[in-house]
Structure formats: structure tokens, C-alpha cells
Amino acid sequence: MNKKLRGCLCTLRNFPNVVVTELHAKGFYGVNPSLVEAAPRYLKLAMEEGKMKKKSIGQPNEIFASCDFSSLGLHPGLCDQLRDRMGYEAPTLVQAQAIPVILSGRHVLVNAATGTGKTVTYLAPVIHQLQKCDPRIQRSDGTFALVLVPTHELCMQVYENLQKLLHRFHWIVPGYIMGGENRSKEKARLRKGISILVATPGRLLDHLKHTSSFIHKNLRWIIFDEADRILELGFGKEIEEILDILGSKGDDTEVVRQNLLLSATLNEKVNHLANISLENPVMIGLDDKKTQQPSNKQTTSLISDAIERLENSGKVSVTSNEEYKLPAQLNQRYVKVPCGSRLVVLLSILKNLFTGEPSQKIVVFFSTCDAVDFHHELLSQFYGLSNSQSETEKKELFVKCNILRLHGNMKHEDRVKTFNAFKTEKSALLLSTDVSARGLDFPKVRCIIQYDSPGEATEYVHRVGRTARLGERGDSLLFLQPIEADYLQELKKHGVTLTEYPLLKLLDGFPLKSHARKFVSIEMHPWLVCLQKSLESFISSEAKMKKLGQNAFCSWVRAYSAHRGELKSIFMVKKLHLGHVARSFGLKEQPSLVGRSVQKKHTEKRKRDQKTQRGGLKKMRKTVNKV
Ligand SMILES: Nc1ncnc2c1ncn2[C@@H]1O[C@H](COP(=O)(O)OP(=O)(O)OP(=O)(O)O)[C@@H](O)[C@H]1O
């Protein structure tokens, strides 16, 4: 027997579940862990003789693994909980791949598509380990597991999942701390003891420094959910401080530490965090492309591949051109709209969607809080084409639906209210900044509209990930101006391809007063011209609307000029016609951007000095209210 195979068999005995799930990851099913444990040779023979069924991963119906939770090594009580309380019949593929590895105690980095069940992937093994502690853990032992998340909403969502999963294990206490909540109440909860704590980084650091009764000497797990977003939001320094206080890899702590890092997208920023926080990690989902369709020759070396993953020192190295995983059943489209017609096209598309299917959930993403506020007010008040509707029609909103808004400048209580409302509503339109882009699991969202570009391809992936979750169907639509068309190439670099939305067909479907259908370009389409006129007269007659529109215009231009280096060549602020941008906020005139008539400034800039405008915008960038 050669040395490598001997090593493999030894590892098979030590980590049977891990190897089985490694095989699942590579598309082989029907392997029984106990058989592997008893007779490792069975595995090799079975593969060679083609006894195992090969399934390809990533097909729409290939969300679930063909095994059950108990075969992954989880406690029967927890499996019952997953089935009875959560309604989970079988693990998803990522759960089947990762849970046994996490149970083995290794540090793990998980990269799996949005909506594939990453939350339970990390919560279940932690609960499994804690429930079997003998004697039972107590509140006075303090915190054993820490889950770090980027936003308030995700914090609440993970906590809700925890509550359900812990129903049978009442001695394991879940808790959360996050910005916006009452500090003293949090202190009191921490004093009593929280076994599994979900936290946003800023507030956690605050308590680590100032709450002496916060016991964390028994900390066994640090989990970074949406790791890349935590760093993008600028929490890098806080994370380093947190790791300094808690001990990054657990080398200098008494308790053996296991750190986990998860996201649907990983970028270069994660490399550093992974390398300082993960010790020799097992990487799940990062090399699927290499392993999805193994040839016969590759098949015989599956075992050694698996062992390599387990035994090789895992230095994380993600590049910026990483291909992202998207739900296969997601229908992704883009619509090319000239700047001045953006708003009327958005309203037309929304009207069409809610007329076709009155009961559905849709999310529209905007680049700034001001834009969310403006569009929320507009959609809640705009009754439509003034001279083309009968008296009865006039009483109905132009887009008939329940309209909600969510962004980071809202009061914490209002955010909580919206979050819960959009979760439970059967039909609603949510207008949001990227605060909703990450991790949030709103059931049955049918369509995602990215009215303002997401910029980074990672954000595109997470925004569209709010639909088409867990094998359900879903649509996404990205608005692009003709001058931004190169963004499609940027997405393509990450394996994302979109088809074009038939805008003209949609517009031609609206009733028109005049029968003249001849027009030279989309923006001259009679339906859009008529709607734009109505909008502008509505907005100019309402002082509040006008003010909101002006604010939204200014923030939008600031946000547009704040794209990072490479993307600036696609989203070029100097190519914008600010008069058209104003039209996209229903404004007849361009508002002043920096204290004097923008019209004048912009014309001057175009004619003579482009630098002046860029300088002014650079200064304003600091105040972009993006999330
Ligand atoms: N095994 C399972 N069976 C049925 N439903 C499941 C299972 N695991 C998770 N789910 C459900 O799937 C949905 C998505 O799960 P989750 O939010 O954990 O996905 P995610 O991978 O973390 O997504 P994102 O990347 O967007 O954060 C949730 O509604 C969750 O309850």
C-alpha cells in the first residue's frame, strides 16, 4: 500500500463524516458513514466500481443533499428540532458539506450561494457541541460562541433562528447586542450570561471595553457571517481590536478555539481577516469549479483530494476576479434606460408588475437614503396621469401596493418595524439601500430591481440573492444608462451574465391618449413623455416632494462620484448630463449642488474646466449617505 493511500485510510477512520461530505461536495452520494468507518476500502472500491450515484451540483433542483441531518453527526434532539420546529426535512448541500467538518473542530471558511442555508450551517454544530457538555453549561459560564454580523437586521434574524433552534435546549441562552439598542439593558443581559451571542462589531467592542461583567473566558467559537461586508463597512479596525482582546486564533486562550468565516462572496479584504483569524482552515465551496465534474482519473483520487483539504495548511487567497455563485434558477435581466427617463421607466415597470400580479413582494435598491425617502414619498402620493384618468381611477395610487422603506438613517425602532413588516406581508414593495442587501431572508420575494447600480459585483450578487432563495424562482432587473453598458462586462468577469429586458414592448402595452406611435428614441415614447409631464407638475406643486427630490438629486450625484477606482471608468460623473439627472427626480430644474446654480457650473465645467467639478464632488463624497 503506498504511503499516500495509507494516510488517506487513516484520515478516513478519523474523520468519516468529513470524507463522506467531501464526496457529496464532489457529486457522489449514497455513502454511508458507518461503512466508511468500518471499512475504508469500501469507499475506494465503491467509487472504482461506479456504485455511487453522481449528481451535478448547481442544477435548480439540486439544493438539498440526499442524506438526513442525523447522518451528519448531529444530536437526535437537534435533528428533531430542525424538522419539527424549522420544517427542514433534509440538509442543503452546503449544510451537508460543512456541518461534519465544523463538528470535527477545524477552522472553516465557507463560500456558498445566497439563500442556501449558511446560518444553520454554523449554528447547528455549535448547538450540538454545547448541548452535550457535561455538566451542563450555565449562564454564569458566560459566552461560548460569538456570531459577528454587519447589520442590525441580520443580527435580529440570526437571533430569531437561534431561539427556534434552542427551544429544546433551554439551558443554552441566546442573546444579541447591536448599535441602536439600549446599552444598560444589554449590560444587564450580559451580566446574567448569554451562551451564544450575536453582535454587530462596534457595539461588541464597546461592551468588551466597558462591561466588566461580560464573561468571555470560555469563548470557543468566533463566527464571521458576511465577513466581507463587515470589512467593507469599515469595521476592519474594530475586528482587529476584538480579536486582540479575545485572542485571534485562540492560541493564547485556555479554551480550544474554532473560528468560522462565511459569505456568498469573498474578496481580497477577507484574505487578511481569514489569515489572522483562521488556523489551517478547511475551505468549503472555494474550489467547486475544479471538482464539479471529475473525470475517471480524478475520481480515483477523490479520497486523497479530501485528505489534502483536511491536512494541507490552508492559506486563504481570494482574488478580485473570483467567480461568484448565483442561484441557478434566478432570471437575471438588465434594462438600458437614458438618464432622464429612469424614473418614469421605474414607475412603469412597477405598475406593470403589480397590475400583472397584485400580491407579490418586490425590493428596489437605491444608492442613498435620500433617494429611498424621495421615492417612498412619491410612490405613496402619486396618483398618476392627471388628464388621462377617470374620476374613479384618480383615487388609486399609480402603483397600487403597500410601500415600505428601509435605510440606515432611519430610527432603530422604525427599522425593526419595517424589517418585521416586510417579512410577514404577503404583498409589499420595499425601497431600500444596501442595508437590506446582505443576509436578510425575507420569504417569497419575487423580484429585485437594482434601480441604482450596486457598484461592486459582490453587492450585485447579494442584492439579487434576496430572491430565488433555496431553489425558489426569482427575477432580477438591473437599470443601466447607455453610458454604463460596460458594467455588464464587469459582471461577466465574475461569471454573471444578464439578458436584456424588452422595455419597448412594455411601454407599447400602456394605453395612450394620442395614437401617434412614431418616436425616435425611448425617451420620446409618448407614454413616457406624458408620464414625465405629470410627475413634474405633481412634484413642482408639492413643496415637500420638491425638497425631497432636490436632496435626493444631490446625494445621488455624490454617490455616483464615489465609485471606487476601476469602476470610475464606467460610472463617469463627468459624462452625466445633470439636467437629465434632475429629470430622473421629477425636477424641472437642476438643483444647486454646491451652493450655486449647478447648471451654470456644469456648463462652465464642460466648456472649460472639468477639474473644478471633480474637486467639488470629491469634497462632497465624505457626506454620501449610502446605507
Ligand atoms: N435544510 C433546510 N431545509 C429547508 N429550509 C432551509 C434549510 N436550511 C435553511 N433553510 C431556509 O433557507 C433560507 C435561507 O437560509 P439562510 O438565510 O441561512 O441562507 P444564507 O445562505 O445564509 O443566505 P445569504 O447568503 O443571503 O445570507 C431560510 O429561510 C432558511 O430557513
Side-chain angles (χ1 to χ4, degrees):
M1 194 189 289
N2 73 32
K3 218 173 144 192
K4 194 158 190 178
L5 185 57
R6 219 174 24 240
C8 295
L9 297 181
C10 168
T11 311
L12 277 171
R13 274 182 219 109
N14 294 338
F15 301 101
N17 285 326
V18 174
V19 175
V20 169
T21 49
E22 285 287 336
L23 289 164
H24 285 180
K26 290 164 194 290
F28 290 92
Y29 289 82
V31 189
N32 180 337
S34 57
L35 271 177
V36 176
E37 196 163 16
R41 279 195 63 197
Y42 162 84
L43 191 61
K44 190 165 173 278
L45 289 173
M47 279 192 299
E48 280 170 358
E49 289 165 21
K51 282 184 186 162
M52 277 179 280
K53 219 166 53 187
K54 165 101 176 58
K55 286 185 180 179
S56 66
I57 297 171
Q59 301 306 309
N61 54 349
E62 297 295 345
I63 302 294
F64 295 98
S66 53
C67 57
D68 51 32
F69 278 106
S70 56
S71 71
L72 305 179
L74 292 173
H75 182 269
L78 183 54
C79 297
D80 291 349
Q81 197 70 3
L82 286 163
R83 194 187 50 243
D84 304 339
R85 199 150 182 97
M86 313 284 280
Y88 299 176
E89 294 295 333
T92 62
L93 285 176
V94 67
Q95 288 161 357
Q97 286 171 50
I99 288 175
V101 185
I102 298 175
L103 285 174
S104 76
R106 294 285 300 267
H107 289 229
V108 179
L109 188 143
V110 178
N111 177 221
T114 50
T116 51
K118 290 187 286 299
T119 316
V120 161
T121 302
Y122 62 80
L123 290 181
V126 169
I127 296 171
H128 169 91
Q129 303 289 17
L130 285 179
Q131 61 75 36
K132 71 175 193 191
C133 289
D134 189 15
R136 278 183 181 182
I137 63 162
Q138 297 181 8
R139 290 192 83 161
S140 55
D141 295 329
T143 298
F144 288 86
L146 176 64
V147 182
L148 277 162
V149 292
T151 63
H152 301 184
E153 287 75 13
L154 192 52
C155 193
M156 288 187 290
Q157 186 176 293
V158 174
Y159 173 70
E160 281 165 20
N161 272 301
L162 254 178
Q163 277 183 311
K164 287 188 201 156
L165 283 168
L166 287 173
H167 193 68
R168 282 196 184 187
F169 309 106
H170 57 87
W171 62 97
I172 306 174
V173 180
Y176 65 87
I177 51 173
M178 62 180 166
E181 286 282 309
N182 182 313
R183 266 195 191 74
S184 341
K185 284 188 185 158
E186 286 183 348
K187 268 178 191 270
R189 292 206 298 265
L190 286 169
R191 194 178 315 117
K192 280 190 190 161
I194 296 176
S195 326
I196 304 178
L197 178 66
V198 193
T200 52
R203 185 54 66 93
L204 172 70
L205 188 58
D206 188 344
H207 284 293
L208 282 174
K209 285 178 174 169
H210 304 118
T211 305
S212 51
S213 53
F214 176 16
I215 299 171
H216 47 76
K217 64 178 185 339
N218 291 318
L219 194 71
R220 271 172 70 180
W221 294 272
I222 302 182
I223 299 151
F224 299 92
D225 194 351
E226 306 289 352
D228 51 331
R229 186 61 179 165
I230 296 178
L231 298 176
E232 274 162 22
L233 286 176
F235 284 121
K237 221 177 132 268
E238 278 86 349
I239 294 293
E240 289 199 6
E241 272 192 74
I242 290 168
L243 290 175
D244 262 359
I245 297 172
L246 298 175
S248 55
K249 298 180 180 175
D251 311 337
D252 38 5
T253 55
E254 278 175 27
V255 181
V256 177
R257 176 72 58 72
Q258 181 182 20
N259 293 346
L260 314 171
L261 214 140
L262 306 93
S263 183
T265 53
L266 297 168
N267 55 26
E268 279 152 341
K269 282 190 188 139
V270 174
N271 290 340
H272 177 61
L273 175 60
N275 290 324
I276 60 168
S277 64
L278 303 180
E279 181 70 48
N280 196 15
V282 178
M283 281 166 273
I284 292 176
L286 278 178
D287 60 350
D288 279 2
K289 267 175 210 77
K290 278 181 250 159
T291 58
Q292 261 185 23
Q293 291 167 322
S295 64
N296 285 343
K297 193 164 160 257
Q298 282 171 321
T299 306
T300 52
S301 65
L302 278 175
I303 302 177
S304 46
D305 275 3
I307 277 74
E308 245 170 65
R309 269 208 208 179
L310 284 168
E311 293 185 344
N312 277 356
S313 158
K315 184 150 171 67
V316 182
S317 169
V318 183
T319 64
S320 60
N321 279 348
E322 204 69 29
E323 286 209 0
Y324 297 132
K325 298 183 178 75
L326 286 129
Q329 73 285 9
L330 173 68
N331 177 23
Q332 302 175 78
R333 295 194 284 186
Y334 70 92
V335 60
K336 239 189 249 174
V337 189
C339 185
S341 305
R342 277 164 42 81
L343 181 55
V344 276
V345 168
L346 174 68
L347 292 185
S348 306
I349 289 175
L350 288 174
K351 186 176 180 65
N352 179 263
L353 285 170
F354 279 103
T355 310
E357 204 179 318
S359 180
Q360 62 172 322
K361 290 208 273 196
I362 295 176
V363 183
V364 184
F365 281 102
F366 295 91
S367 58
T368 69
C369 307
D370 285 339
V372 170
D373 288 341
F374 164 73
H375 291 91
H376 180 261
E377 193 69 20
L378 178 70
L379 283 159
S380 312
Q381 293 201 26
F382 183 56
Y383 285 84
L385 308 176
S386 43
N387 53 3
S388 74
Q389 286 177 320
S390 68
E391 276 309 307
T392 46
E393 277 176 325
K394 266 187 198 164
K395 293 202 180 83
E396 286 181 342
L397 281 175
F398 184 74
V399 179
K400 270 183 282 169
C401 64
N402 173 14
I403 303 157
L404 302 167
R405 72 187 175 117
L406 188 63
H407 62 67
N409 279 355
M410 286 164 60
K411 276 198 223 140
H412 178 67
E413 306 78 70
D414 294 339
R415 279 173 73 166
V416 175
K417 238 183 181 165
T418 304
F419 172 70
N420 289 328
F422 195 62
K423 256 178 119 168
T424 47
E425 289 289 350
K426 288 221 156 41
S427 177
L429 171 64
L430 176 67
L431 312 181
S432 182
T433 57
D434 277 334
V435 81
S436 304
R438 290 285 183 140
L440 298 193
D441 184 49
F442 297 118
K444 308 261 174 236
V445 172
R446 184 73 189 76
C447 179
I448 299 297
I449 298 179
Q450 307 199 46
Y451 181 60
D452 290 331
S453 149
E456 303 297 331
T458 47
E459 283 327 288
Y460 173 92
V461 171
H462 288 279
R463 283 174 168 193
V464 297
R466 298 317 99 208
T467 187
R469 294 176 76 72
L470 213 70
E472 288 198 342
R473 67 185 251 261
D475 295 324
S476 70
L477 181 63
L478 172 69
F479 271 64
L480 286 176
Q481 296 182 42
I483 53 167
E484 300 166 342
D486 283 353
Y487 189 59
L488 296 172
Q489 296 310 315
E490 179 65 24
L491 291 177
K492 213 168 186 178
K493 280 190 210 159
H494 299 279
V496 181
T497 44
L498 291 76
T499 55
E500 189 158 7
Y501 178 87
L503 179 58
L504 201 54
K505 197 171 151 205
L506 168 92
L507 299 179
D508 286 345
F510 285 106
L512 287 171
K513 268 206 139 183
S514 104
H515 293 288
R517 285 202 176 268
K518 271 195 185 155
F519 53 94
V520 278
S521 59
I522 282 281
E523 60 258 65
M524 298 311 289
H525 192 286
W527 164 260
L528 294 184
V529 172
C530 189
L531 187 56
Q532 182 74 31
K533 237 167 133 184
S534 271
L535 264 176
E536 287 179 11
S537 70
F538 166 69
I539 288 170
S540 62
S541 65
E542 300 277 330
K544 186 180 173 195
M545 275 310 325
K546 199 168 164 190
K547 184 84 195 97
L548 285 172
Q550 288 168 341
N551 290 344
F553 166 89
C554 294
S555 317
W556 189 89
V557 178
R558 280 175 221 150
Y560 201 90
S561 66
H563 283 290
R564 84 169 152 86
E566 270 175 55
L567 292 172
K568 271 194 171 44
S569 60
I570 301 173
F571 302 101
M572 291 171 88
V573 77
K574 66 178 180 203
K575 278 199 185 167
L576 288 177
H577 185 304
L578 294 181
H580 292 178
V581 177
R583 271 168 63 86
S584 74
F585 290 94
L587 301 169
K588 289 181 185 167
E589 284 171 5
Q590 292 170 200
S592 166
L593 266 177
V594 281
R596 63 180 173 133
S597 160
V598 175
Q599 170 117 41
K600 203 168 149 206
K601 187 179 177 188
H602 196 65
T603 321
E604 278 170 9
K605 178 194 73 101
R606 277 197 165 169
K607 284 186 184 159
R608 293 183 279 109
D609 185 8
Q610 295 191 334
K611 277 183 190 167
T612 315
Q613 172 83 5
R614 277 206 295 275
L617 291 168
K618 248 183 213 162
K619 272 179 221 152
M620 288 189 298
R621 238 170 257 162
K622 287 182 187 150
T623 54
V624 171
N625 61 351
K626 282 183 91 170
V627 288

